[in-house]
Amino acid sequence: MITATNIFVKYGDRTLLDKITFVIQDKDRVGLVGRNGAGKSTLLKILAREITPDEGVIAIPNERTMGFLHQEMFLPKGKTIIAEALTAFKEIKALEDRINAINDEITTRTDYESDAYNNLLIEFSDVNDRFQMMGGATMQADAERVLKGLGFKDADMQRLTDEFSGGWQMRIELAKLLLQRPDYLLLDEPTNHLDIESIIWLEQFLTTYPGAVIVISHDKQFLDNVTNRTIEVELGKIFDYKAAYSRFMQLREERRELQQSAYANQQKAIAQKERTITRFMAKATKTKLAQSMQKQLDKMERVEVDSEDTSAMNIRFQPSPRSGQVVVDGQKVKKSYGNLHVLEDISLKIDRGERVAFVGQNGQGKTTLAKILIGIEPSTGGEIKLGHNVHLGYYAQNQSEALHPHLTLLQTMENASPPEMRTKLRNILGSFLFSGEDVDKKVSVLSGGERARLALACLLLKPFNLLVLDEPTNHLDIISKEVLKKALIEYDGTLIVVSHDRDFLEDLTSTTIEFRDKQLYTHIGDVNAFLKKRKMDNMREVELQKSKNASSKAAAKAAAKAAPRVLSKEEKEAQKKLQRSVQYAERKIEKVEAQIAKFEEKMADLSFYESADSATVMDAYKAAKKDLDVAMEEWEALTVELEGFDG
């Protein structure tokens, strides 16, 4: 286990972490949450022993290994992706090199009867056994499996790491960490550069991870699917809950309500006693009693309400000018970069007031089409036209990074502002949590979250009726994302948003456009409806399902043309056996669902998370959920087989 005791960190006059203490168990799945700048990344670096706290101790058993995914990383140049991924297997590679060296030596030696030769054979056997036991025979396949899970293709394996952007290089680094399987896996914003498909793959990988996982993320759905414990960092303190993020938020609210109630009740009692003491002090016969009551009051343990950072942005988009009915009209649009074809003959039509999500794997052309649409990148063929009276607002994926580092916040706003808005700039900055002397800070000293807020503030300076947002939630904390989402729901113009954040997209858009294989596929509904419609967990399975559906339709047509036949005695017996199996599977599903309902009833009680057996119950609950998935798959397979007899 990791034991952190009295960790204290101070930057200038600000106390970032104020003597915090906690323990990470070997199988914990911990979500570190809190506002931007609260100290989450600092705490993760302290756990990884990359920085030393001003006070306090981190205790980790010597034999335990640790892997840390930074937000900043530097991969060596000149290596292929697969070669870089295989560096995760340093010990195995050393064994492989020794095996090859012994093989070379054996082929050249002729002293077959000597002790030295015999010792060489014994060493070869020992080294080879260790190599096999540590997975040496499958390390190439394991590396390719993890890389593909994170979005790389077969054709990418022999490409150099230099050819890939920072986001893709982060995936390579993440792949290396996952392949190393350290005892403690520390991940700082691992989903920032992943698409939805890769995020879901990572969720599934971490669910069965054998060690402890400590993750910083602003993706609520990712936290809910991966973690079973939440540590909130707020105003120098930590608040520890044995629950995933959504349940943590409920428990947190309940705790604050209980504190407020207990505080209010105690304050009433204190006021009453103080009135009594004042009254008794005026009477000589009751002075001693009053003094005794005062001593009791002074010794009373006072209820404190935990401090809370309630600051939040105040975003309100200006009313949008009215545009024509057709806002975007694209016909036969192509885009290529040399021999790389990204989009081929795609068509796109978006009407006034429509709210559209662009989804799909990274590299499929979402950002490219957004740039073509707003006119900052030309198409290779075809044409995209904007409708009558369309006024564009655009937030680029790297918008916050494009801000001039040597300008102050106020100068940045002035450069982006029309003349009529100049008098309101300080108020607007204040609504984005930049107040007082903050406006004179240079952009270069801002954190990633602060830059994102400033870029959003610049966006609000002009009215527009078509808003294109490319990954707007990168670097925003959960509260800021919720504020932005609320403002976008109230926005009255046409919206196009490129995002991998499922929680952010939920109920925000009414149309989902999937980018796949150089084409666009339009689906009615938000991103969750798109995934749920196919009973899928990821977008790669959409491809597999289409293939299965095509085969099923072909089989159904063939069956419809075939003449009906009478079942043989053996077939009837097999049919009855299947019917019994289906019934048994249905009873099994009912039984497991009843178990899950009992667990959830227990977990709904606030006191459950303080009980000694809460961790055991949570493990049993997760196991039951997995059992239900397996039982459902078995039932579905049996049902399909039984329908074959009916057909």
Side-chain angles (χ1 to χ4, degrees), residues 98-115:
R98 183 55 187 152
I99 288 170
N100 292 334
I102 294 173
N103 268 325
D104 290 342
E105 191 173 345
I106 288 172
T107 57
T108 58
R109 290 179 64 156
T110 57
D111 55 333
Y112 308 122
E113 304 298 327
S114 69
D115 290 341

Side-chain angles (χ1 to χ4, degrees), residues 594-604 608 617 620-621 624:
Q595 285 178 337
I596 290 171
K598 285 182 181 177
F599 286 137
E600 289 176 341
E601 189 178 341
K602 273 189 180 182
M603 290 155 60
F608 165 78
V617 174
Y621 172 70

Side-chain angles (χ1 to χ4, degrees), residues 586-602 621 624-625 628:
E586 288 170 349
R587 287 196 296 272
K588 186 177 178 182
I589 289 168
E590 289 173 4
K591 184 178 177 182
V592 178
E593 284 178 336
Q595 285 178 337
I596 290 171
K598 285 182 181 177
F599 286 137
E600 289 176 341
E601 189 178 341
K602 273 189 180 182
Y621 172 70
K625 294 280 278 185
L628 181 61

Side-chain angles (χ1 to χ4, degrees), residues 431-486:
S431 70
F432 280 80
L433 308 182
F434 300 114
S435 57
E437 296 176 358
D438 288 343
V439 302
D440 296 319
K441 284 182 180 178
K442 295 282 178 70
V443 169
S444 58
V445 304
L446 300 182
S447 68
E450 288 170 330
R451 287 188 182 213
R453 294 207 309 268
L454 178 59
L456 284 171
C458 292
L459 184 64
L460 265 62
L461 293 172
K462 298 174 184 175
F464 41 77
N465 49 28
L466 172 59
L467 177 56
V468 182
L469 302 175
D470 191 359
E471 301 290 4
T473 62
N474 280 358
H475 306 297
L476 292 182
D477 58 40
I478 292 174
I479 292 176
S480 298
K481 287 201 296 187
E482 289 173 349
V483 171
L484 175 59
K485 181 175 178 177
K486 184 174 181 293

